[in-house]
Amino acid sequence: MRNLYIDFDGVILDTINTTYKMLAELGIDHKDEEKTKEFYASLDWKKVLEETPIINDGINCIHKILESNKFNVAILTHVNSLDEAVQKVKYIRKYLEDITVIPVPKAISKTKMVRSKDAILIDDYSGNLREWESEGGIGVRFSLKLNGKGFRVIDKLDQILDMDYETVK
Ligand SMILES: [Mg+2]
């Protein structure tokens, strides 16, 4: 079975929108790295996760992917603080009892936490996908606008079940 890693922010939950709105309310430009880093490090993630909608039926799609037995599925998510890791694991456990969750410290590449060779990563951030493919993995961009930025692209997680990778690599 092929390993399939699924990003969390911007793929399962629309936390990017929630946190960008909060940044705007605080008058912080998200391009200001220092202030943005501080903001994310001190964020109340429990509250953020409670307030943020699921993207395109993502949780049900993951159930469907698990039931297909086509992949070893894990959630691979960057975190800025321990609280973020704790709250994300708690959140995911409410919906998915039997899935591996791997929090990755923001300063470390996802490719350094798991073996990317021949594994699939679904991520909305093309920088992560570029790193993933440079380490021999298969990148799939999640984009509601279906903008692949050079990668295979999906806008709903269960579309991964209809993709044919063997012919691609
Ligand atoms: Mg993301």
Side-chain angles (χ1 to χ4, degrees):
M1 249 197 282
R2 199 184 281 279
N3 289 332
L4 169 64
Y5 295 100
I6 304 175
D7 176 31
F8 185 83
D9 301 292
V11 172
I12 298 171
L13 226 67
D14 196 11
T15 47
I16 312 276
N17 258 326
T18 306
T19 53
Y20 274 28
K21 267 183 215 154
M22 292 168 83
L23 277 167
E25 278 163 20
L26 292 166
I28 301 169
D29 180 353
H30 66 83
K31 286 185 184 110
D32 184 335
E33 267 182 44
E34 190 80 0
K35 279 191 181 158
T36 304
K37 211 174 142 187
E38 261 173 48
F39 164 81
Y40 278 105
S42 60
L43 200 54
D44 180 350
W45 273 93
K46 188 169 187 279
K47 188 165 167 275
V48 169
L49 296 176
E50 273 167 10
E51 287 174 3
T52 303
I54 293 166
I55 302 169
N56 249 353
D57 210 22
I59 298 287
N60 287 329
C61 287
I62 293 173
H63 279 293
K64 222 169 129 183
I65 295 167
L66 290 170
E67 280 161 19
S68 78
N69 274 323
K70 263 187 155 178
F71 302 103
N72 292 316
V73 188
I75 294 171
L76 189 62
T77 179
H78 267 136
V79 294
N80 302 273
S81 66
L82 265 184
D83 177 61
E84 180 177 350
V86 169
Q87 297 308 330
K88 280 180 170 174
V89 171
K90 280 187 181 169
Y91 177 90
I92 292 162
R93 280 289 165 263
K94 277 197 292 185
Y95 299 101
L96 297 151
E97 275 175 32
D98 190 24
I99 195 167
T100 303
V101 185
I102 307 166
V104 181
K106 183 71 179 167
I108 291 176
S109 166
K110 291 185 178 184
T111 62
K112 302 292 177 228
M113 289 297 277
V114 296
R115 192 169 182 270
S116 42
K117 177 105 178 62
D118 295 328
I120 300 169
L121 172 68
I122 303 176
D123 205 297
D124 61 319
Y125 177 50
S126 47
N128 289 338
L129 296 172
R130 250 190 308 279
E131 289 175 355
W132 194 258
E133 294 215 329
S134 76
E135 299 290 328
I138 300 166
V140 176
R141 184 153 195 260
F142 188 91
S143 160
L144 290 177
K145 292 178 181 157
L146 287 175
N147 174 2
K149 295 196 175 175
F151 299 94
R152 297 166 200 84
V153 63
I154 57 174
D155 63 358
K156 197 162 181 279
L157 282 173
D158 59 358
Q159 289 163 358
I160 203 72
L161 295 170
D162 302 321
M163 278 194 164
D164 185 3
Y165 307 96
E166 313 303 330
T167 58
V168 180
K169 291 265 160 175

